[in-house]
Amino acid sequence: MDHAKNGQSVQGRPPAIGDEGGIPSDSNHTVTGPQRDLNDRLKPEVDEPVSRASSDRETSPHQSSHTVRRVLKIAAGAAIVAVFGWMPLKAIWQISSVEAVVNARIVTLRSPIDGTVSSKPGLSTASSVTEGDVILRVVNARGDRTRLDDLRRQMSRSDNERPAFAAKLASAHALQEDLARQASQFREGRILQLEARIAEIQSVIEAAVSRREEAAAAVERASSLIKSGSVSTVEFARLIRDRSVVQQTENGARHRLDAANVELTAAKNGTYIGDSYNDRPSSVQREEEMRQRVGDLTADLAHADAEIYWLSAEITAEQFHYIARSEADITAPVPGRIWEMMTSTGEDVRAGQALLKLLDCNGAVVTANVTESVYNRLQLGKQAQFEPNDGSPSIKGLIINLTGASGAPANLAINPDTLNKEPYRVTVSMPGIGTTGKDCEVGRTGRVVFDNPPKS
């Protein structure tokens, strides 16, 4: 009951303002929403002197932090303006191209023969190749092999003739040896015959010398007896005649001896002298004829061997030519990437027909177009650098061609005429671009920055 009364008395009297000017709450802290609003309205007026004092103490730190934040904002803005303003300003000061693209020369591979094309599996324009790789193969199943067949027929005929020449030569050698043996026997016999005749003639000469001495002695005796009349004149004349006959007989024998010695000397030298034959007997003549035959057969056999050797070399060369006319491997002359396939497997092609185009990635260049004022300041051989648009590191190079408003070389993968913002075109070599194989980055865009040359 007392509690109820206390409650009524609290609700019945107005709220009292406490020491701090606020509306005190009851002991149970049961302050409602309207009471908090009223307390918020009345508290500033009651606490005004106190808040002014505290505000004076907090003003200085607050203002200093606000100033720091403002300075930082100004510095950040200045940095952003400097960075994003310096890049366009730098681009204005630099001598650079309007457009630039990585390019490479095109190598067109053509068919050397007529035939049917075949390629290795998986070959496409994305395929990279190295120098010497076989890309395509052309086969001509109807290649002309007439000359090869003719050479093989000649080779077969020469192979068949050679054994006949060898057999004839062997037979001629055997007959020549037999005739040579007969001629040697005849020579030896003739020499023995002449030696025997010389011995006979020498005996005849000795007998004639004895008769000549006897006749001379008889004539000498008769000449001493004729004075005494013991020998008649007729008998003396007969003795003188007999002496003369014996002397002539001796002389004749000596002449026959000389002739026999001549024949013997000639026979020893291989020449035969006689009345019934010429300087060569029949066996010697046949042996000489057979020697000539052997020489002819030897020459024929050597000719056959030489012809076989020549035909073998010609057949080998013609086989190589026939293979070259009937089969051809299309190999990559440079490392790079296939740019365009101009034929397909199974297609019949003619000699000289273009089969594919290959990027020469080792000779990659950068083609760029520039304004007229920049173009007139450029010189061949001057330094330049390519700055890719993807943010990659710049690559140094040299100016190798200034084509101006005329068309650039037409064997480039990307026609420089596609860079049409400015008509003046420049070609820059980039040895360090490293575009080989799958890294052949033809078509990569950017810009070329040139060294500042002195104005003329």
Side-chain angles (χ1 to χ4, degrees):
M1 184 142 183
D2 294 336
H3 180 72
K5 289 180 179 180
N6 292 334
Q8 290 176 359
S9 64
V10 172
Q11 294 177 1
R13 68 173 183 265
I17 299 174
D19 296 337
E20 297 179 358
I23 300 173
S25 59
D26 57 359
S27 59
N28 296 327
H29 304 283
T30 56
V31 182
T32 62
Q35 290 176 350
R36 285 195 299 268
D37 293 338
L38 182 60
N39 189 16
D40 293 337
R41 291 190 186 98
L42 296 177
K43 187 176 181 179
E45 295 177 359
V46 176
D47 295 340
E48 184 174 357
V50 180
S51 62
R52 286 179 180 176
S54 62
S55 174
D56 292 339
R57 293 192 301 268
E58 296 175 356
T59 299
S60 179
H62 179 71
Q63 289 180 352
S64 61
S65 62
H66 181 70
T67 302
V68 171
R69 285 196 300 269
R70 180 174 292 182
V71 171
L72 291 177
K73 290 180 180 179
I74 292 173
I80 293 173
V81 171
V83 172
F84 290 97
W86 169 251
M87 298 302 293
L89 186 60
K90 179 182 177 182
I92 292 174
W93 285 346
Q94 286 179 334
I95 299 177
S96 62
S97 65
V98 178
E99 298 173 287
V101 63
V102 177
N103 217 337
R105 302 195 183 278
I106 291 292
V107 179
T108 302
L109 302 183
R110 301 179 181 274
S111 174
I113 60 172
D114 300 341
T116 304
V117 177
S118 62
S119 62
K120 60 182 181 180
L123 190 67
S124 65
T125 54
S127 301
S128 61
V129 295
T130 58
E131 184 177 356
D133 285 352
V134 178
I135 305 175
L136 298 175
R137 184 178 178 84
V138 181
V139 178
N140 185 6
R142 297 180 294 275
D144 184 13
R145 54 179 298 153
T146 302
R147 175 167 171 74
L148 180 60
D149 293 338
D150 290 342
L151 291 173
R152 285 177 173 173
R153 280 192 291 269
Q154 294 180 18
M155 183 70 172
S156 178
R157 183 170 59 253
S158 298
D159 286 338
N160 293 333
E161 289 177 353
R162 190 187 184 285
F165 287 137
K168 291 179 180 179
L169 181 61
S171 176
H173 268 302
L175 184 58
Q176 179 193 1
E177 290 176 357
D178 183 64
L179 292 173
R181 185 175 59 257
Q182 292 180 12
S184 177
Q185 291 175 355
F186 176 81
R187 176 173 172 274
E188 293 174 356
R190 181 63 177 170
I191 290 174
L192 293 174
Q193 182 184 13
L194 290 174
E195 290 176 349
R197 182 181 298 176
I198 289 173
E200 179 185 1
I201 293 173
Q202 288 177 347
S203 299
V204 172
I205 291 174
E206 291 177 358
V209 169
S210 297
R211 286 195 296 271
R212 177 178 59 80
E213 292 176 352
E214 181 181 0
V219 169
E220 185 178 358
R221 286 194 303 271
S223 62
S224 59
L225 293 176
I226 195 173
K227 295 178 182 180
S228 60
S230 299
V231 177
S232 63
T233 304
V234 175
E235 181 65 18
F236 183 75
R238 184 183 66 77
L239 291 174
I240 292 175
R241 186 182 66 250
D242 290 341
R243 187 185 65 179
S244 177
V245 170
V246 171
Q247 181 68 37
Q248 294 300 324
T249 301
E250 180 184 359
N251 292 336
R254 293 186 181 277
H255 289 314
R256 289 198 304 274
L257 178 62
D258 293 338
N261 286 326
V262 170
E263 288 187 20
L264 179 61
T265 302
K268 290 180 178 180
N269 293 330
T271 302
Y272 301 96
I273 301 173
D275 296 336
S276 60
Y277 50 83
N278 52 15
D279 61 342
R280 291 287 188 275
S282 60
S283 59
V284 175
Q285 293 178 5
R286 290 185 60 194
E287 192 269 337
E288 290 181 351
E289 292 175 358
M290 192 54 58
R291 185 185 299 116
Q292 294 178 356
R293 176 63 175 168
V294 168
D296 293 341
L297 290 175
T298 302
D300 292 340
L301 184 61
H303 175 72
D305 291 337
E307 186 175 6
I308 290 174
Y309 178 79
W310 177 80
L311 288 173
S312 299
E314 284 295 309
I315 289 174
T316 301
E318 187 59 28
Q319 284 177 339
F320 177 78
H321 293 158
Y322 171 72
I323 293 174
R325 292 191 301 267
S326 59
E327 298 177 1
D329 290 333
I330 310 301
T331 58
V334 293
R337 177 165 56 86
I338 296 176
W339 182 252
E340 180 182 0
M341 290 292 298
M342 307 176 70
T343 185
S344 59
T345 301
E347 181 179 349
D348 290 333
V349 296
R350 306 292 295 175
Q353 180 178 339
L355 301 179
L356 59 89
K357 292 183 178 180
L358 185 68
L359 285 177
D360 183 8
C361 291
N362 272 354
V365 297
V366 172
T367 54
N369 60 350
V370 297
T371 61
E372 183 178 0
S373 61
V374 172
Y375 180 81
N376 290 328
R377 299 178 62 184
L378 299 179
Q379 296 179 2
L380 291 175
K382 293 298 182 181
Q383 296 284 338
Q385 59 182 2
F386 174 67
E387 296 180 352
N389 285 339
D390 59 1
S392 300
S394 60
I395 304 169
K396 293 184 179 180
L398 295 175
I399 300 175
I400 60 173
N401 199 3
L402 297 172
T403 57
S406 64
N411 65 331
L412 293 174
I414 300 175
N415 193 339
D417 292 339
T418 58
L419 306 178
N420 52 16
K421 289 184 179 180
E422 290 293 340
Y424 298 92
R425 298 175 178 85
V426 181
T427 304
V428 181
S429 69
M430 295 290 171
I433 202 166
T435 53
T436 58
K438 293 184 178 180
D439 297 328
C440 195
E441 299 172 344
V442 172
R444 185 182 181 187
T445 58
R447 72 180 187 128
V448 178
V449 179
F450 307 96
D451 288 352
N452 289 327
K455 293 185 178 179
S456 57

